[in-house]
Amino acid sequence: MHNSITKEEVLTWLEEVKDPEIPVLSLVDLGVITAVDIRPEGVTITMTPTFVGCPAMDMMKSDVLEVLHKHGITHAEVQVSFREPWTSDKISTRGREALKSFGLAPPPSGKNLFTDIDVLEHATCPRCNGTNTELKSPFGPTLCRSIHYCLDCREAFEQFKPV
Amino acid sequence: MNEIALKELLYKIADDQLILGHRNSEWTGMGPLLEEDIAFSSMAQDKVGQSYAIYNLLHALGEQEPDTIAFTRNANQFHNSIFTELPNSEYDFSLIRHFLYDTAEIIRFDLLTRSAYQPLADLAVKVRAELRYHTLHANTWIKQLGSATEESISRLQHSLDTALPHALGMFEESLYEQDLIHDSIFAGEKILMERWKQQVEIILSKTQLQLPDWDTLTAVNGGRKGQHSEHLQPLLDEMSEVFRIDPTAEW
């Protein structure tokens, strides 16, 4: 029944599903879709949360199912797995640009995080690109954001946390 | 693999996260400054979310649904350490507990990344990454307030002295300790406690706070076996108040 569908096609459909807390960023660009499994009996999407306690997970799951149903996939399933855990390096280049235009600083590469606190201290301002910034709080309005202040343009901003 | 030992391990880790997560949430709207209000609320959300993920692992092993596990047990069925259920008290006590607890927790999850039980090892990689923010927060404040004014130092010292015997209760051994170690599910409380002591010493050496000789302390145990202080049941009553109005409600 689903033999003619490709993984690429399904991923294109899923670009329609946005992060409920960042409505410009698709789940595909966010990097939380880790597998698309197409079988004659149905389609299984594997997702992994950005943060374990992410409260938007259930909404994202039902949004994914809705899009698949809309494209005629009657037997669709979403499973949550930590086998391939999400890191902020999984956000695509397009996703990073979307974050920035939304006013959220994209996360710096997570690779240096655990040895270098400076990575958190000096975020780049998404408005003026200034680097003369300071960390106000490593915790923000959602689990995945930190709060910063730009000393160049004198505006507070948020950064998607590297993890 | 000894499944009873595995389940007991999962219960105690998840219960610790849930109960301290709930205590952290009591700071919402009450923090001494806005950033701390947000920090404790955020850490609460992380911890409750992490407990949910571990209750889900238990559910996959045949235990009840996460909500049922979290909201319908009585105090004597919880395996959290007594340390996590103590009231928040003043901010200095909450901060000291946060430091002592999360220092242990990040080492625990680091050890669990090498667990032979793969679903737990997978989850531990993720949780460990999140806990970096919690220890970063705790270490920053302990280092600053532990060397700031006479009042901040004496308050933290008093809370540290009160907290330490309870903190040692986090490492109360399981009846199945040897099974866990033998099956490579978990490296064991002894190794965890030794690493924890080293890390606590490193951070506190950067402050004016004094650690007593470890040998003079007696651990407050019992929580892992369901023997709790008088503080747990009222916490559970409050936490499950809404759930119990209608346990079948769809939220």
Side-chain angles (χ1 to χ4, degrees):
Chain A
M1 145 192 192
H2 298 310
N3 285 344
S4 55
I5 301 164
T6 64
K7 184 184 162 182
E8 287 67 29
E9 218 172 331
V10 173
L11 286 173
T12 311
W13 299 341
L14 292 182
E15 279 173 19
E16 193 186 314
V17 187
K18 308 296 184 195
D19 179 334
E21 286 171 342
I22 309 166
V24 294
L25 184 60
S26 80
L27 298 194
V28 177
D29 286 323
L30 181 57
V32 296
I33 308 285
T34 53
V36 176
D37 193 16
I38 299 163
R39 292 183 207 183
E41 58 271 25
V43 174
T44 303
I45 307 289
T46 306
M47 289 178 66
T48 195
T50 52
F51 277 69
V52 177
C54 178
M57 202 62 195
D58 280 343
M59 194 190 276
M60 292 194 269
K61 274 165 74 173
S62 67
D63 286 353
V64 166
L65 288 175
E66 200 175 300
V67 165
L68 291 174
H69 290 155
K70 198 171 78 182
H71 286 89
I73 310 293
T74 44
H75 294 89
E77 194 194 351
V78 177
Q79 59 176 27
V80 176
S81 164
F82 293 97
R83 188 74 267 254
E84 196 187 320
W86 185 86
T87 74
S88 44
D89 289 343
K90 284 191 185 289
I91 301 176
S92 69
T93 308
R94 191 167 59 178
R96 296 174 66 84
E97 283 160 12
L99 282 175
K100 194 166 177 247
S101 59
F102 186 63
L104 262 177
S109 165
K111 291 186 188 74
N112 302 322
L113 172 67
F114 303 145
T115 49
D116 189 0
I117 294 304
D118 271 2
V119 171
L120 277 181
E121 269 314 332
H122 303 293
T124 302
C125 175
R127 292 195 185 83
C128 74
N129 296 318
T131 51
N132 186 17
T133 67
E134 57 187 25
L135 174 70
K136 297 304 268 185
S137 170
F139 298 98
T142 73
L143 290 184
C144 53
R145 304 187 199 178
S146 49
I147 303 173
H148 304 256
Y149 184 73
C150 177
L151 295 160
D152 287 336
C153 71
R154 305 258 158 205
E155 289 276 1
F157 67 95
E158 291 163 16
Q159 174 169 268
F160 205 105
K161 279 154 79 160
V163 66
Chain B
M1 191 174 285
N2 183 336
E3 198 170 293
I4 296 173
L6 171 63
K7 284 184 182 177
E8 204 223 10
L9 175 74
L10 294 175
Y11 266 114
K12 76 174 175 188
I13 299 170
D15 288 350
D16 267 354
Q17 296 290 88
L18 178 67
I19 300 302
L20 189 58
H22 185 80
R23 284 294 185 218
N24 283 350
S25 78
E26 292 174 353
W27 278 110
T28 303
M30 310 282 278
L33 50 141
L34 185 60
E35 286 83 353
E36 283 309 275
D37 207 299
I38 298 168
F40 272 89
S41 306
S42 222
M43 291 189 292
Q45 199 181 345
D46 273 336
K47 288 187 192 312
V48 174
Q50 290 157 4
S51 76
Y52 175 75
I54 301 168
Y55 291 136
N56 259 325
L57 294 183
L58 280 162
H59 185 46
L61 291 168
E63 298 296 291
Q64 306 239 42
E65 296 274 349
D67 278 356
T68 309
I69 296 176
F71 295 133
T72 64
R73 285 178 298 158
N74 289 317
N76 61 9
Q77 295 168 296
F78 271 77
H79 300 258
N80 61 288
S81 58
I82 291 174
F83 189 39
T84 58
E85 74 205 31
L86 297 177
N88 280 343
S89 185
E90 301 271 330
Y91 178 70
D92 47 73
F93 180 79
S94 285
L95 195 59
I96 281 285
R97 172 166 58 185
H98 160 39
F99 164 65
L100 296 174
Y101 177 84
D102 280 302
T103 300
E105 223 43 27
I106 197 167
I107 301 168
R108 187 185 289 280
F109 278 98
D110 180 56
L111 294 170
L112 290 172
T113 61
R114 295 180 284 284
S115 175
Y117 184 58
Q118 196 61 46
L120 180 58
D122 291 344
L123 179 64
V125 170
K126 184 72 186 146
V127 172
R128 178 180 59 180
E130 295 179 1
L131 289 177
R132 303 266 176 181
Y133 283 97
H134 299 206
T135 52
L136 168 74
H137 178 262
N139 294 347
T140 304
W141 279 108
I142 292 293
K143 282 191 271 188
Q144 287 192 6
L145 292 177
S147 327
T149 66
E150 203 175 307
E151 188 190 2
S152 74
I153 294 164
S154 74
R155 275 175 169 267
L156 283 181
Q157 184 67 55
H158 176 72
S159 286
L160 180 66
D161 295 341
T162 313
L164 278 172
H166 291 95
L168 290 175
M170 293 190 287
F171 312 110
E172 180 180 2
E173 293 193 4
S174 159
L175 287 174
Y176 310 102
E177 199 73 13
Q178 292 314 313
D179 299 85
L180 292 171
I181 296 167
H182 179 265
D183 291 349
S184 302
I185 296 171
F186 174 53
E189 299 296 335
K190 270 203 181 69
I191 288 180
L192 170 58
M193 183 171 68
E194 286 315 310
R195 294 195 188 168
W196 172 80
K197 285 179 179 173
Q198 287 170 12
Q199 184 61 20
V200 167
E201 286 167 10
I202 288 172
I203 300 297
L204 292 187
S205 72
K206 295 169 184 168
T207 69
Q208 294 181 45
L209 301 172
Q210 305 295 322
L211 264 179
D213 188 341
W214 293 110
D215 295 334
T216 62
L217 300 171
T218 308
V220 179
N221 287 335
R224 303 302 190 201
K225 297 184 175 66
Q227 296 150 11
H228 292 279
S229 70
E230 71 275 22
H231 303 298
L232 182 58
Q233 192 58 52
L235 179 154
L236 297 175
D237 292 343
E238 185 186 279
M239 184 172 75
S240 59
E241 195 179 352
V242 177
F243 179 84
R244 283 171 194 263
I245 292 171
D246 182 2
T248 60
E250 288 275 343
W251 294 92

